[in-house]
Amino acid sequence: MAAAAGEASGSDSGWLGRCEFGRASPRGWDTVCLFGLWAATRVSPHSQSPKPSAPPRAIAAVRRRLSLRGTMLRRVSPSLRRALHWSASTHYGGAQIPHPSLSPSQALQPQWRCHASVASSSAPSPPPPPPSRPRGPSRSAGGGPTVSSLNPAEVAKFAAIAETWWDANGPFKPLHLMNPTRLSFIRSTLCRHFRRDPYSSKPLEGLKVIDVGCGGGILSEPLARMGATVTAIDAVDKNIKIASIHAASDPTTASIEYCCTTAEALVKEERLFDAVISLEVIEHVANPMEFCESLSALTVPNGATVVSTINRSMRAYATAIVAAEYILRWLPRGTHEWSKLVTPEELSLMLQKASISVEEMAGFVYNPLSGDWSLSDDISVNYIAFGVKTSETPSTNSTEARL
């Protein structure tokens, strides 16, 4: 103890240097700093007057840091604060909360820093850092959809877990739980747009519907049971095989046309559908703008387009990525990348540029007590949008502009 105090009294860089913010977990950092503050202010039993064993500058610096850290953590929401505390395990650095004076893009960059000690094999890995605001998607010279908006890394990611699509307690458990709520929104909006009876046993009978990015067919099958003529496509061949086998077991879903292809390929074939549905897909494609144009090209004039995704917000990062993937482990780690998420404003703008007018938008809210999802006005995390295709396509507009 005397040696530690002597080292502290000789220089400000003694125990204060070892309390550098972000080098250890918040709990460990508080312990070291509070211990150092106690050691610095204690009175030597052999001295005549109380003299601190550390320089006043060091004591003031520690107090300032403790006060600043508490102030910064009070500025974030309780849920995000808990996520940040969890992320700082015994071998990972704490999250540095940005100062309120930073710009919005800088303020959305908590920096997850790794500690120098070796991580134990049983400790969970930290969530990836949310990067800066992504740049806008690049456009092709012709203005139309490119050959494919596929992201090979995303295709490989979902191919690895394709066998678990129909496991209600597997990696796709959140989609199984959310599916009734998604179908409720789709049924309501399509029946209202096409003037169908939503209480009919087959309200979508006679409508040609395509499910883009169908996965194992957990959405395609209910659509077929509602009477729609369903075409379902996915870029992962394993998904199509599993979906086809599962649909064949039920006569009402055996008629679904499953194809391992892309939306851009169907555009070249000049396929058209009354309703184009793509749920939880746009955040996994390489170029969201090109993907929206492909969805528009597949939709008949005055047809319907339904898209759902996750908002790129700090609340979505804390719940849909940190909590769902790293704490609750509902999804495999790395399923979503924060930089690829799309905000409601960006989705509306991209669909508008693709000649789709967004007419309705709703959010999905999860109730942890009941385990159910419900529709809400809160679109800060999961949300779904319904749009109507205008009579003119983007390619027609660009041609008229050149004339």
Side-chain angles (χ1 to χ4, degrees):
M1 181 69 70
E7 181 184 356
S9 61
S11 171
D12 289 357
S13 61
W15 55 267
L16 179 60
R18 291 192 291 273
C19 295
E20 183 65 22
F21 181 70
R23 297 282 182 87
S25 64
R27 183 178 300 176
W29 187 86
D30 286 343
T31 303
V32 174
C33 287
L34 290 173
F35 173 78
L37 186 59
W38 170 82
T41 55
R42 71 186 183 90
V43 180
S44 174
H46 303 290
S47 61
Q48 297 297 328
S49 59
K51 294 181 180 180
S53 56
R57 290 183 301 167
I59 299 173
V62 171
R63 286 173 174 164
R64 284 196 304 271
R65 293 186 183 192
L66 287 172
S67 176
L68 176 61
R69 181 175 178 273
T71 302
M72 289 188 295
L73 287 178
R74 285 195 297 270
R75 288 174 181 158
V76 300
S77 62
S79 59
L80 181 56
R81 190 185 313 150
R82 288 193 295 269
L84 295 177
H85 274 299
W86 172 89
S87 67
S89 62
T90 56
H91 59 277
Y92 294 113
Q96 182 177 356
I97 309 299
H99 195 273
S101 62
L102 297 178
S103 63
S105 61
Q106 293 173 323
L108 297 179
Q109 301 179 40
Q111 303 168 357
W112 305 89
R113 295 183 292 182
C114 184
H115 190 253
S117 61
V118 179
S120 61
S121 58
S122 61
S125 59
S132 58
R133 185 183 182 88
R135 298 178 181 178
S138 58
R139 299 292 302 276
S140 59
T146 56
V147 176
S148 176
S149 60
L150 283 181
N151 187 332
E154 297 289 337
V155 173
K157 182 190 303 180
F158 284 95
I161 55 176
E163 293 82 0
T164 62
W165 266 106
W166 287 98
D167 182 2
N169 294 316
F172 298 103
K173 178 180 179 180
L175 293 183
H176 284 274
L177 295 176
M178 193 187 298
N179 215 34
T181 308
R182 301 193 304 179
L183 286 167
S184 175
F185 178 88
I186 294 171
R187 181 177 186 143
S188 174
T189 53
L190 293 186
C191 287
R192 184 166 56 253
H193 178 69
F194 292 105
R195 298 182 179 180
R196 302 297 181 91
D197 181 10
Y199 301 102
S200 171
S201 60
K202 293 187 176 181
L204 304 184
E205 190 171 10
L207 294 180
K208 294 176 60 178
V209 179
I210 182 171
D211 182 7
V212 180
C214 63
I218 63 176
L219 179 72
S220 305
E221 291 193 9
L223 291 174
R225 293 189 182 99
M226 284 191 280
T229 302
V230 180
T231 299
I233 65 173
D234 199 282
V236 180
D237 185 58
K238 286 184 179 180
N239 291 345
I240 295 299
K241 290 180 179 178
I242 291 172
S244 300
I245 294 173
H246 193 275
S249 62
D250 188 347
T252 60
T253 60
S255 60
I256 299 176
E257 178 189 1
Y258 283 107
C259 301
C260 182
T261 185
T262 62
E264 290 81 5
L266 293 186
V267 171
K268 290 184 177 181
E269 298 176 11
E270 298 182 354
R271 298 282 299 271
L272 291 175
F273 300 89
D274 299 309
V276 177
I277 303 174
S278 182
L279 307 187
E280 320 302 330
V281 176
I282 193 171
E283 68 268 24
H284 300 290
V285 302
N287 193 318
M289 184 65 242
E290 302 288 356
F291 183 70
C292 289
E293 290 182 349
S294 297
L295 298 182
S296 175
L298 292 174
T299 310
V300 298
N302 201 37
T305 303
V306 181
V307 180
S308 71
T309 185
I310 303 176
N311 193 353
R312 193 177 66 254
S313 63
M314 284 307 300
R315 183 178 174 186
Y317 176 75
T319 56
I321 296 181
V322 175
E325 298 182 15
Y326 292 85
I327 300 179
L328 302 176
R329 298 185 180 181
W330 284 350
L331 299 170
R333 296 177 182 178
T335 299
H336 297 103
E337 296 182 28
W338 191 83
S339 62
K340 294 182 179 179
L341 303 183
V342 182
T343 67
E345 295 79 9
E346 291 171 344
L347 179 62
S348 299
L349 182 60
M350 287 188 292
L351 290 175
Q352 182 180 0
K353 289 182 178 179
S355 299
I356 297 176
S357 174
V358 176
E359 296 190 353
E360 189 170 344
M361 187 174 287
F364 296 121
V365 176
Y366 178 71
N367 186 339
L369 299 179
S370 63
D372 297 328
W373 290 82
S374 60
L375 291 174
S376 168
D377 293 334
D378 183 3
I379 58 175
S380 61
V381 184
N382 297 84
Y383 67 97
I384 187 169
F386 165 80
V388 177
K389 168 75 174 294
T390 59
S391 59
E392 294 181 347
T393 61
S395 59
T396 303
N397 291 337
S398 60
T399 303
E400 293 179 353
R402 287 194 296 269
L403 294 177

